[in-house]
Amino acid sequence: MAESARIDQNTVVLPGKVRVRFIRTLRLPETGTHPLPPGLGEFPVRAVADYPQSAPPEWLRRGGVMLPVYLREAMWLSFGVDSGEPAALQVGVGKVCAVSGSPWSDTLDRSPQNYLTLPRQPWLDGINSGKGTVRQFVAVPLGMGATVEGQLTGEETWGGLQLQSFTLRPAVLDAWRAEEAARRAELARGAAQFGGWGAAPPPAPGGAAPMAAAGAAMGMGAGGTMRQEVYEDERPPTDWESSAAGRVFVHLVTPPQWRLITGEEPPPSPVDRAAYTRAGLPWYDYYDESGTDLAPSEGLASVQPVGEWLGEDHAPWQQPSPDQVKPLGDAPGKPVSDGDW
């Protein structure tokens, strides 16, 4: 039986040392292709089981966690792995795979690939819908047909997000640890020889209330398009365990329902995206030149943005200037001029 996930502050920690945070962000326009929007703080996360008197019975049966989200609010998922050990993570939107567009599965698949490889994939902002692009995760109510789940299955039964982690087989993990120890030892020798320059950084540290109505559940629809790659797994499929280490169901809660269930105030409504850009604050580009972008899913490519159901997005928008888009990873940096020599 799979181990239980846990909550560390607002981070969901899955077996296999996988850490997932849910990040508030700016909603993109549904036309054009955009750089990566910024993170604007974490969504608060609570365990459903902590509210047996106020959470809907169906949610209590599914277990998992919940977080408050506004209508048409965007989010992205930030990933980490304690000690940097490789892991595989499946991400579902209404039990539709956000990577392959296939129905949710309890096993890893490569035809097409239905999971992310960590720590190579640092985050996921949306569904894998285009070559080198994703469509942003945007919260919408169930029952309209606007969710990815509704568009690809014809039903809106599950909503929310689903996460499931897999680890390497013990012998493969032991071999990886030995290689990593040798690599770190080599780096340490180089650091000692050259006075510490170039040394690898240390790893990142990683009440009674009225019963809420189940009908206020939210699901994930598709928003604007941004430049982001979903990386292909370079390991043989046999490297991974055949069964999941753990999983968690993430319920998306409307702000009024959050107050009713938890007694807490939800975060304030999302930031004005035009005001953010006018203030000169940064957007981002990320590229890993050693990674291979996974081919987009035909099913996910066919998903229509939520504006087809909710109407045109009239929120003010201002395109960021080129100098506001900051490179991350292997993205091109500031050019260095050459001269005569």
Side-chain angles (χ1 to χ4, degrees), residues 156-171:
E156 292 186 321
T157 303
W158 299 99
L161 290 160
Q162 297 77 40
L163 304 171
Q164 189 162 252
S165 61
F166 290 76
T167 59
L168 292 174
R169 295 181 185 276

Side-chain angles (χ1 to χ4, degrees), residues 20-137:
V20 182
R21 295 185 300 134
F22 307 88
I23 309 298
R24 307 187 78 198
T25 190
L26 303 177
R27 187 176 73 250
L28 299 175
E30 293 177 358
T31 56
T33 300
H34 306 277
L36 299 176
L40 300 175
E42 300 174 341
F43 287 91
V45 178
R46 303 289 181 266
V48 172
D50 288 346
Y51 303 91
Q53 303 302 318
S54 53
E58 185 176 350
W59 295 15
L60 291 166
R61 285 193 297 272
R62 291 178 183 169
V65 302
M66 58 185 170
L67 59 87
V69 61
Y70 288 83
L71 172 65
R72 226 169 178 172
E73 184 171 7
M75 76 163 62
W76 53 274
L77 309 182
S78 173
F79 308 127
V81 187
D82 289 346
S83 304
E85 294 184 355
L89 179 68
Q90 292 177 318
V91 178
V93 284
K95 295 191 72 173
V96 172
C97 177
V99 175
S100 69
S102 304
W104 185 253
S105 171
D106 289 332
T107 59
L108 299 181
D109 199 347
R110 293 285 273 271
S111 301
Q113 182 176 314
N114 66 348
Y115 60 95
L116 306 169
T117 56
L118 309 184
R120 160 153 278 166
Q121 191 81 40
W123 43 65
L124 185 69
D125 286 60
I127 60 172
N128 181 30
S129 59
K131 184 172 177 56
T133 62
V134 300
R135 272 200 174 271
Q136 193 172 36
F137 291 133

Side-chain angles (χ1 to χ4, degrees), residues 8-305:
D8 180 8
Q9 297 182 354
N10 291 322
T11 300
V12 171
V13 184
L14 288 147
K17 304 179 180 179
V18 172
R19 304 176 71 86
V20 182
R21 295 185 300 134
F22 307 88
I23 309 298
R24 307 187 78 198
T25 190
L26 303 177
R27 187 176 73 250
L28 299 175
E30 293 177 358
T31 56
T33 300
H34 306 277
L36 299 176
L40 300 175
E42 300 174 341
F43 287 91
V45 178
R46 303 289 181 266
V48 172
D50 288 346
Y51 303 91
Q53 303 302 318
S54 53
E58 185 176 350
W59 295 15
L60 291 166
R61 285 193 297 272
R62 291 178 183 169
V65 302
M66 58 185 170
L67 59 87
V69 61
Y70 288 83
L71 172 65
R72 226 169 178 172
E73 184 171 7
M75 76 163 62
W76 53 274
L77 309 182
S78 173
F79 308 127
V81 187
D82 289 346
S83 304
E85 294 184 355
L89 179 68
Q90 292 177 318
V91 178
V93 284
K95 295 191 72 173
V96 172
C97 177
V99 175
S100 69
S102 304
W104 185 253
S105 171
D106 289 332
T107 59
L108 299 181
D109 199 347
R110 293 285 273 271
S111 301
Q113 182 176 314
N114 66 348
Y115 60 95
L116 306 169
T117 56
L118 309 184
R120 160 153 278 166
Q121 191 81 40
W123 43 65
L124 185 69
D125 286 60
I127 60 172
N128 181 30
S129 59
K131 184 172 177 56
T133 62
V134 300
R135 272 200 174 271
Q136 193 172 36
F137 291 133
V138 176
V140 288
L142 301 185
M144 300 176 62
T147 62
V148 175
E149 175 188 5
Q151 293 186 54
L152 295 187
T153 72
E155 298 179 346
E156 292 186 321
T157 303
W158 299 99
L161 290 160
Q162 297 77 40
L163 304 171
Q164 189 162 252
S165 61
F166 290 76
T167 59
L168 292 174
R169 295 181 185 276
V172 179
L173 182 57
D174 287 345
W176 179 89
R177 287 170 174 165
E179 291 173 2
E180 184 69 4
R183 185 185 71 84
R184 288 183 179 276
E186 186 67 24
L187 288 172
R189 284 196 295 273
Q193 179 179 357
F194 296 106
W197 292 103
M211 184 68 71
M218 306 275 276
M220 279 299 179
T225 298
M226 73 188 78
R227 295 184 291 274
Q228 184 175 86
E229 294 182 327
V230 177
Y231 296 113
E232 184 177 325
D233 188 6
E234 298 176 351
R235 290 183 170 277
T238 52
D239 277 9
W240 300 106
E241 290 280 16
S242 58
S243 57
R247 65 178 196 167
V248 66
F249 197 108
V250 182
H251 303 266
L252 305 179
V253 185
T254 65
Q257 193 176 30
W258 177 262
R259 289 189 193 94
L260 190 61
I261 295 173
T262 68
E264 301 177 33
E265 283 299 311
S269 58
V271 172
D272 182 317
R273 61 193 187 188
Y276 178 94
T277 304
R278 283 197 302 271
L281 298 172
W283 292 70
Y284 300 95
D285 262 329
Y286 179 84
Y287 178 65
D288 181 347
E289 66 178 8
S290 66
T292 302
D293 184 38
L294 197 63
S297 156
E298 290 185 10
L300 294 176
S302 71
V303 171
Q304 297 300 304

